[in-house]
C-alpha cells in the first residue's frame, strides 16, 4: 500500500494569511494526487486533481504542486470559510489511500 | 447535476452485516468512464477507502477489509451497494459513496460524493 503522510497535522493561521500543507507519498505516484476540503459534518469537497489542476468552481486562491512523492497545497488570503480539514488522496494504484488530514484553525 | 445518496440502517448489531445502498441521480451509473466507490470515516478520524465497483461488476477492495466486503451494482435502478459482514464497534463510521473517473490514459480522484450516513455498531 502507498502511505500518504500529511504535515502538519494541525495549523493555526489568521484571516488573510497564506498557508501551505504538505503531502508525501511512500513511493512515487506521478501526479495522481487530489486534495479535498472537509467542513465538520459534511462530505469532502474536491479542490485539486492531477496534483495541480483546479476542480471546476474552485477559486484560484487554492493551488497545488508536486510530482512523484512530494506535493503541496497552498491557500492564499485565508477567509473564515477556509478553516476546515484538508486531505490528500492518491489514486495511482489500489488500494486508494488518503493522508491523515490537516486541521486548519483560526488563530 | 449528479447526485449520490446513501441509504440503509443507522444501527447494526455486532457480528451482523452492514448493508448500504447508494442511489445515483442526474447521470447514469453505466457511463463508461466512471467507477463508484465507498469511503468511510470513523467519528473524529480520517478517510478510509473501502472499495470501487464498475457498472459491469468489476470490483476493487481494500485488502484490509476484503474478506468482509462485497459490493454490487444494479444498473436498472442506478444504484450500487455495500455489504460488510461480521461488524464490530470499529466499523462505526460515516459511510460515503462517491464517483471516480477513470479514463484510458488518466484517472481522477473522487469528484462527486454523497452526504454520508452514520452507521453505529452497537447491541
Amino acid at each position: 500500500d502507498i502511505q500518504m503522510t500529511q504535515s502538519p497535522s494541525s495549523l493555526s493561521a489568521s484571516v488573510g494569511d497564506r498557508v501551505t500543507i504538505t503531502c508525501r507519498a511512500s513511493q512515487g505516484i506521478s501526479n495522481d494526487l487530489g486534495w479535498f476540503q472537509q467542513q465538520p459534518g459534511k462530505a469532502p469537497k474536491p479542490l485539486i486533481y492531477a496534483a495541480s489542476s483546479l476542480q471546476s468552481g474552485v477559486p484560484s486562491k487554492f493551488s497545488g504542486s508536486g510530482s512523484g512523492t512530494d506535493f503541496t497545497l497552498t491557500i492564499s488570503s485565508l477567509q473564515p470559510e477556509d478553516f476546515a480539514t484538508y486531505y490528500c488522496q492518491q489514486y495511482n494504484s489500489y488500494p486508494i489511500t488518503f493522508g491523515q488530514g490537516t486541521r486548519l484553525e483560526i488563530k | 447535476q449528479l447526485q449520490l445518496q446513501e441509504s440503509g440502517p443507522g444501527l447494526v448489531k455486532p457480528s451482523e452485516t452492514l448493508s448500504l445502498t447508494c442511489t445515483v441521480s442526474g447521470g447514469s451509473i453505466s457511463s463508461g468512464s466512471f467507477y463508484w466507490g465507498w469511503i468511510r470515516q470513523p467519528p473524529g478520524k480520517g478517510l478510509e477507502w473501502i472499495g470501487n465497483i464498475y457498472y459491469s461488476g468489476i470490483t476493487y477492495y481494500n485488502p484490509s477489509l476484503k474478506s468482509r466486503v462485497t459490493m454490487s451494482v444494479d444498473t436498472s435502478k442506478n444504484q450500487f451497494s455495500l455489504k460488510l459482514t461480521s461488524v464490530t464497534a470499529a466499523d462505526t463510521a460515516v459511510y460515503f459513496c462517491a464517483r471516480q473517473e477513470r479514463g484510458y490514459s488518466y484517472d481522477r480522484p473522487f469528484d462527486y460524493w454523497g452526504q454520508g450516513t452514520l452507521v453505529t455498531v452497537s447491541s
Side-chain angles (χ1 to χ4, degrees), chain A residues 29-107:
Chain A
I29 58 170
S30 185
N31 67 338
D32 295 330
L33 184 105
W35 288 98
F36 297 85
Q37 176 194 69
Q38 189 178 33
Q39 298 287 0
K42 301 290 188 181
K45 173 187 175 183
L47 299 175
I48 300 270
Y49 66 93
S52 60
S53 297
L54 279 181
Q55 293 276 7
S56 176
V58 174
S60 58
K61 62 188 300 180
F62 294 93
S63 62
S65 66
S67 183
T69 60
D70 294 315
F71 303 87
T72 61
L73 171 70
T74 299
I75 313 168
S76 62
S77 187
L78 283 171
Q79 297 300 305
E81 61 269 22
D82 299 327
F83 292 92
T85 301
Y86 292 85
Y87 293 93
C88 59
Q89 177 214 330
Q90 71 80 19
Y91 48 93
N92 179 264
S93 63
Y94 287 120
I96 291 168
T97 47
F98 293 87
Q100 81 278 16
T102 296
R103 184 175 179 182
L104 177 57
E105 301 173 317
I106 297 178
K107 186 181 291 183

Side-chain angles (χ1 to χ4, degrees), chain B:
Chain B
Q1 175 77 346
L2 191 77
Q3 293 187 316
L4 291 79
Q5 179 68 57
E6 306 88 351
S7 59
L11 181 64
V12 182
K13 290 182 168 56
S15 80
E16 295 191 345
T17 297
L18 179 159
S19 296
L20 295 174
T21 295
C22 182
T23 301
V24 179
S25 58
S28 173
I29 202 170
S30 301
S31 296
S33 297
F34 301 108
Y35 279 71
W36 305 90
W38 289 97
I39 301 100
R40 70 180 184 178
Q41 185 172 38
K45 296 189 178 180
L47 300 163
E48 179 182 34
W49 174 73
I50 300 170
N52 276 10
I53 189 166
Y54 192 55
Y55 77 93
S56 64
I58 295 171
T59 54
Y60 298 90
Y61 298 144
N62 191 324
S64 67
L65 297 168
K66 187 174 183 177
S67 64
R68 299 193 292 130
V69 171
T70 302
M71 292 176 64
S72 60
V73 62
D74 186 338
T75 56
S76 67
K77 295 182 178 179
N78 229 30
Q79 296 176 333
F80 62 104
S81 298
L82 168 70
K83 290 189 186 299
L84 181 66
T85 62
S86 304
V87 298
T88 70
D91 296 309
T92 294
V94 175
Y95 286 75
F96 297 100
C97 58
R99 185 187 84 167
Q100 182 191 14
E101 185 176 359
R102 302 199 69 187
Y104 285 111
S105 59
Y106 67 90
D107 291 336
R108 294 286 181 261
F110 293 108
D111 59 356
Y112 284 90
W113 293 64
Q115 65 187 22
T117 187
L118 174 62
V119 179
T120 301
V121 179
S122 174
S123 56

